[in-house]
Amino acid sequence: AKAKEYVHSAQVAMETCNTEKGGTYSGCTEAALKTIEPTLNSAVFKEVKVEEGEVAYKVAIEGAKSTQKFWVERSKAGVLGYKCEVAATGGCPTGGDWSKG
């Protein structure tokens, strides 16, 4: 559950970073997210990736076990997705989509 909280906090920090950068995610790195949201200093980041012309991103956080990860993805259309692996274990629902809970 803690990893999901970190992912949500990282998503909010990404949006804050985007606002501070004038509408781009360029420069919204792990270090920038930790500066914006200090509780993320305790998170184990697996990936922070900005793509699609700096309007899309993915932020992944390690779960309670190093084999588990949870992430948020924002498409260039602005759609958010909350995914995880390994499905059906450690708080990751069957199918790997935790957007509904």
Side-chain angles (χ1 to χ4, degrees):
K2 192 68 171 172
K4 291 178 184 178
E5 291 174 29
Y6 286 141
V7 169
H8 183 260
S9 294
Q11 185 261 320
V12 172
M14 282 295 277
E15 299 307 327
T16 300
C17 183
N18 173 275
T19 299
E20 291 175 354
K21 304 248 180 226
T24 180
Y25 295 102
S26 179
C28 297
T29 62
E30 178 180 339
L33 299 182
K34 288 179 175 180
T35 298
I36 292 166
E37 180 49 68
T39 61
L40 292 172
N41 285 309
S42 300
V44 178
F45 282 77
K46 299 301 270 183
E47 180 178 18
V48 177
K49 180 170 68 174
V50 175
E51 51 193 27
E52 303 269 354
E54 282 92 27
V55 297
Y57 64 81
K58 178 179 180 181
V59 179
I61 305 287
E62 183 177 291
K65 296 181 180 176
S66 61
T67 56
Q68 192 89 31
K69 74 178 178 179
F70 294 82
W71 67 89
V72 59
E73 291 179 297
R74 182 188 187 276
S75 72
K76 70 180 190 176
V79 177
L80 293 175
Y82 295 89
K83 307 289 182 174
C84 55
E85 61 182 45
V86 178
T89 61
C92 183
T94 302
D97 181 349
W98 59 278
S99 63
K100 297 179 179 47

